[in-house]
Amino acid sequence: MPRDPDRDPGLQPERTRLAWRRTTLSGTVAAVLAVKTALHGGVSAPGIIACALCCVLWLGFLGVAHRRIRALASSPGPAAFAPRHATAAVLYTTAMAVCGAALVL
């Protein structure tokens, strides 16, 4: 579907950038709380592994989010979000949720 050159995108790209930033901040808080929970009872091998896994997942999501924020900021009419990047964002988020649930239980 071709873009209409006369269409004003309004604030939609900015709102989307802000949503990605909020989601990244939420992921950061979740990763920090997961690390705190994993190390609460003292340092142990499973705790270190859980911390490392949460940090790797957070860094992966951060990379996907940063790529999208940069794409949204670079032009008034950014390209559609690539399916592989969307899939990666969903997988990182789901894996971090599973990791957090495992730490709580």
Side-chain angles (χ1 to χ4, degrees), residues 12-60:
Q12 188 274 328
E14 182 178 351
R15 285 192 309 266
T16 304
R17 276 194 310 274
L18 290 172
W20 274 102
R21 288 175 197 246
R22 282 191 308 269
T23 305
T24 302
L25 179 61
S26 298
T28 303
V29 170
V32 168
L33 289 175
V35 168
K36 181 182 176 206
T37 301
L39 300 178
H40 178 67
V43 178
S44 65
I48 296 295
I49 291 170
C51 289
L53 180 61
C54 285
C55 289
V56 166
L57 293 170
W58 175 73
L59 286 172

